[in-house]
Amino acid sequence: MSNSSCSSEDDYSASEYSDVESILSDEEEDIEDYKKGGYHPVCIGDRFDNGRYIIVRKLGWGHFSTVWLALDILTDTHVALKIVKSADRYTESALEEINLLECVKKTNPHSRGYQYVAQLLSHFWHTGPNGKHACMTFEVLGESLLSLMKRYHYKGIPQPIVKRISKQVLQGLDYLHRECGIVHTDLKPENVLVWIPNIEEYLKKETAEVLTAIKQRDDASSSRKNISITHTTTTGRPQPKEHKPWLTETEANGLTKSQKKRLKKKKKKMMAEAQKKASAIDEEDELGKLTDKIDNLSISNVETATTVDGISQDDDSRTGKTKVIPSSTLDIASILLPRDIDDEDERMKVFDKIIVKIADLGNACWMDGDYTHVIQTRQYRSPEVIVGCKWTNEADMWSMACMVFELLTGEFLFDPRAGSKYNKDDDHLAQMLELLRTVPKILTSAGELSRDFFDRTGKLKHIKKLRYRRLRDVLHDTFLMPPEEADAISAFLLPMLEMDMTKRASPSQMLESPWLQDIP
């Protein structure tokens, strides 16, 4: 149980926990992934879906997509626009995700758990320089529970808030499992987002400057195009490079009066052309300044860009360079926390009435499938997945217990490490056995990988010495919780940590837990 970062060697590695005060990520997508089959290059002010969505700023990124805050001019509201990489494998995954999200959206909007799952608003295709991209729009949500943990300095979120979060997530899972037939497969703090009341009122104020600058840039661009058209109409086809605009005074001597008159008229005409050309250059300079202004605008006061090998990383049509616009999650502190209150504890009371939503169904699947492939981020992975047993929605409940423990303590419940004679999976199973003591026969013999970890007697092959401890003792001794609290939390978590997945508690059963009964 440590607060250290997760190894990147896992298929579903968690975001690293850093000891910094900022809730923003210092890392961005790899510029090398802006290629055929990769990310679509996006600039602030870009329009999507026949001009319906205007990009305001970047919210985040993943290995499969980038996510942007956009204004929907049809509804005059903001959306989170997800643009998926264009390679076939990403497109196929996106189409499956859309099917799952459409099911979530249509199955039962009146269900009590419906409101605790992030909703898909629309989807469409966008063709760009790197291919054809699946795009999805979602309701705009705030920071994740990981960011909320950071606000509490990894010392644990207050119990009443964790209870409220737990009840809402369980209701969301109940809707996904029982009504939609969907397994999330990657439940963790990063994938549960905070809902922000009156979000539109805030966004419209904060993005007004960006939208104004975008309009100014577009107006300047339109003006520049009109000048170009006028110039072409006036002067006809472009003059050849060797053309002389007018003769010198010496060359003009000896001309007839009529020839001199025509020469004077021609000179006046060419002067007008030169002035128009200069005006067009001025307009282009002004357009460049407006574009730079838009690129430099940031609602969350983050750096405007990062660089790779000294190259500015933003899609810039004027320079041909590529620049990665930095992510900037919606900062709840600037929206919810009262600025006129100095006492931090008083300011944090705003989270007493927190509302959260389960997000990111990118790895989700239907419950009626036959699955044995690896799912879940390492620290939240269930035992049946590790040994290669067939798994289903019960895997989400194991992750749920691990997440609640982490919210309460600020540390992982299980944080396996490889040793000289065993790997991470060995250590993960050992940590589970130390806490839960018994292991069902289905895990020791029925999994595709069971024989890699267990001998014929059901003992671990590679780790012989185990240090047994009860969950309530961990809570009491390590995290100094009063005995009654430790007992109550342990009683809440253990039904979800049943090693035999067939005996693991469901969301609807957990909603009846005494630990949640004081939450309205």
Side-chain angles (χ1 to χ4, degrees):
M1 282 163 279
S2 167
N3 196 26
S4 58
S5 62
C6 181
S7 170
S8 61
E9 70 185 52
D10 291 316
D11 294 331
Y12 292 79
S13 64
S15 298
E16 289 192 358
Y17 285 10
S18 60
D19 224 4
V20 296
E21 292 183 358
S22 172
I23 65 167
L24 304 180
S25 171
D26 292 327
E27 299 179 3
E28 299 297 337
E29 67 271 24
D30 191 342
I31 191 173
E32 298 300 325
D33 283 337
Y34 281 90
K35 60 184 179 182
K36 295 292 183 184
Y39 296 118
H40 174 67
V42 178
C43 282
I44 306 303
D46 282 356
R47 288 169 168 78
F48 288 81
D49 198 16
N50 297 315
R52 177 176 177 178
Y53 302 104
I54 303 175
I55 298 296
V56 176
R57 65 179 164 108
K58 184 178 171 188
L59 291 176
W61 66 282
H63 293 295
F64 303 153
S65 62
T66 53
V67 183
W68 303 82
L69 180 67
L71 178 66
D72 181 353
I73 61 173
L74 196 63
T75 62
D76 194 30
T77 57
H78 290 80
V79 299
L81 171 58
K82 179 178 180 179
I83 307 173
V84 181
K85 286 180 176 179
S86 61
D88 288 345
R89 61 184 182 278
Y90 302 121
T91 298
E92 290 170 7
S93 296
L95 292 176
E96 182 64 17
E97 181 180 0
I98 289 170
N99 287 334
L100 292 161
L101 288 165
E102 288 285 6
C103 174
V104 171
K105 184 178 181 179
K106 296 175 181 177
T107 296
N108 184 8
H110 303 293
S111 170
R112 65 177 181 175
Y114 179 90
Q115 62 184 311
Y116 302 120
V117 182
Q119 296 298 322
L120 174 73
L121 301 177
S122 68
H123 55 90
F124 57 91
W125 293 100
H126 182 82
T127 302
N130 295 331
K132 189 176 181 181
H133 304 261
C135 301
M136 297 169 250
T137 66
F138 297 86
E139 57 183 323
V140 179
L141 298 171
E143 65 195 47
S144 71
L145 293 184
L146 175 59
S147 296
L148 188 61
M149 289 169 60
K150 291 180 182 180
R151 291 196 185 281
Y152 284 95
H153 310 292
Y154 296 113
K155 301 299 182 184
I157 299 171
Q159 272 195 55
I161 298 177
V162 178
K163 286 183 180 183
R164 187 176 174 88
I165 292 169
S166 298
K167 190 164 189 175
Q168 293 172 13
V169 175
L170 285 169
Q171 288 174 330
L173 283 177
D174 184 53
Y175 177 67
L176 288 176
H177 292 175
R178 190 166 53 84
E179 300 200 52
C180 301
I182 291 173
V183 193
H184 187 282
T185 78
D186 199 19
L187 189 66
K188 57 184 177 179
E190 295 94 315
N191 287 338
V192 180
L193 306 182
V194 178
W195 175 78
I196 305 174
N198 304 317
I199 183 67
E200 276 305 313
E201 181 182 342
Y202 163 77
L203 287 177
K204 283 176 180 175
K205 288 179 181 177
E206 295 293 335
T207 62
E209 186 183 0
V210 179
L211 295 174
T212 299
I214 291 170
K215 186 177 186 305
Q216 290 174 346
R217 183 190 67 180
D218 292 347
D219 289 346
S221 178
S222 176
S223 174
R224 183 168 63 87
K225 288 177 182 177
N226 288 337
I227 288 172
S228 177
I229 292 170
T230 303
H231 175 71
T232 303
T233 304
T234 304
T235 62
R237 63 178 180 271
Q239 299 290 345
K241 290 182 180 180
E242 67 274 15
H243 172 73
K244 297 180 181 180
W246 51 78
L247 298 176
T248 65
E249 289 297 321
T250 305
E251 291 171 324
N253 289 335
L255 294 179
T256 66
K257 188 175 181 180
S258 176
Q259 288 174 327
K260 286 181 180 180
K261 189 176 180 180
R262 285 198 300 270
L263 177 61
K264 187 176 181 181
K265 189 176 180 180
K266 191 171 186 179
K267 182 176 180 180
K268 186 177 180 181
K269 181 180 178 182
M270 294 305 294
M271 284 287 288
E273 290 174 3
Q275 287 174 351
K276 285 175 181 174
K277 188 176 287 187
S279 175
I281 292 172
D282 289 341
E283 288 285 350
E284 189 166 0
D285 287 344
E286 188 63 28
L287 177 62
K289 290 175 184 176
L290 283 168
T291 302
D292 291 340
K293 182 180 179 183
I294 292 169
D295 288 345
N296 289 328
L297 283 171
S298 174
I299 295 164
S300 292
N301 296 320
V302 293
E303 296 272 329
T304 56
T306 54
T307 57
V308 173
D309 296 331
I311 299 176
S312 179
Q313 298 176 32
D314 183 32
D315 184 55
D316 190 329
S317 58
R318 290 175 293 111
T319 63
K321 295 179 181 178
T322 301
K323 181 171 78 178
V324 171
I325 299 173
S327 303
S328 53
T329 58
L330 292 176
D331 186 358
I332 290 181
S334 62
I335 307 173
L336 297 181
L337 300 183
R339 298 180 183 181
D340 57 347
I341 298 177
D342 294 330
D343 185 87
E344 185 65 16
D345 291 337
E346 284 297 315
R347 295 178 77 243
M348 296 297 279
K349 283 184 178 179
V350 71
F351 294 112
D352 290 350
K353 296 182 179 180
I354 194 172
I355 295 175
V356 300
K357 300 199 177 197
I358 300 170
D360 195 351
L361 269 66
N363 294 312
C365 58
W366 304 106
M367 278 171 49
D368 57 5
D370 246 0
Y371 310 112
T372 58
H373 64 274
V374 176
I375 56 169
Q376 303 167 301
T377 297
R378 162 62 72 182
Q379 285 83 358
Y380 313 91
R381 190 171 296 160
S382 55
E384 62 268 23
V385 172
I386 295 174
V387 301
C389 285
K390 291 180 181 178
W391 51 263
T392 184
N393 54 299
E394 290 90 355
D396 282 343
M397 297 307 293
W398 183 278
S399 298
M400 176 70 188
C402 295
M403 183 177 75
V404 173
F405 179 92
E406 188 178 358
L407 296 178
L408 287 166
T409 66
E411 296 193 14
F412 295 127
L413 177 56
F414 303 109
D415 189 21
R417 307 295 173 117
S420 58
K421 296 182 179 180
Y422 56 86
N423 62 27
K424 278 190 177 182
D425 287 330
D426 292 309
D427 190 40
H428 203 160
L429 290 168
Q431 290 185 22
M432 292 174 179
L433 288 174
E434 287 178 330
L435 194 68
L436 304 167
R437 296 176 181 268
T438 59
V439 57
K441 190 172 182 180
I442 189 173
L443 291 180
T444 61
S445 59
E448 292 177 358
L449 304 174
S450 293
R451 293 302 180 194
D452 293 346
F453 305 113
F454 297 98
D455 61 24
R456 293 175 181 273
T457 66
K459 303 289 185 182
L460 287 171
K461 280 184 175 181
H462 307 295
I463 300 178
K464 303 298 183 182
K465 294 181 180 180
L466 299 180
R467 194 169 48 121
Y468 296 103
R469 60 253 172 94
R470 295 185 300 171
L471 180 57
R472 60 93 52 211
D473 293 335
V474 172
L475 293 167
H476 178 266
D477 299 340
T478 305
F479 299 99
L480 306 179
M481 291 185 182
E484 288 185 5
E485 282 188 14
D487 287 338
I489 294 170
S490 177
F492 175 70
L493 295 177
L494 285 173
M496 295 183 281
L497 292 171
E498 174 62 54
M499 292 285 280
D500 185 344
M501 64 179 182
T502 63
K503 298 178 181 178
R504 204 170 294 156
S506 67
S508 58
Q509 289 173 323
M510 291 309 306
L511 285 166
E512 301 301 320
S513 170
W515 195 64
L516 298 177
Q517 295 317 301
D518 58 341
I519 303 298

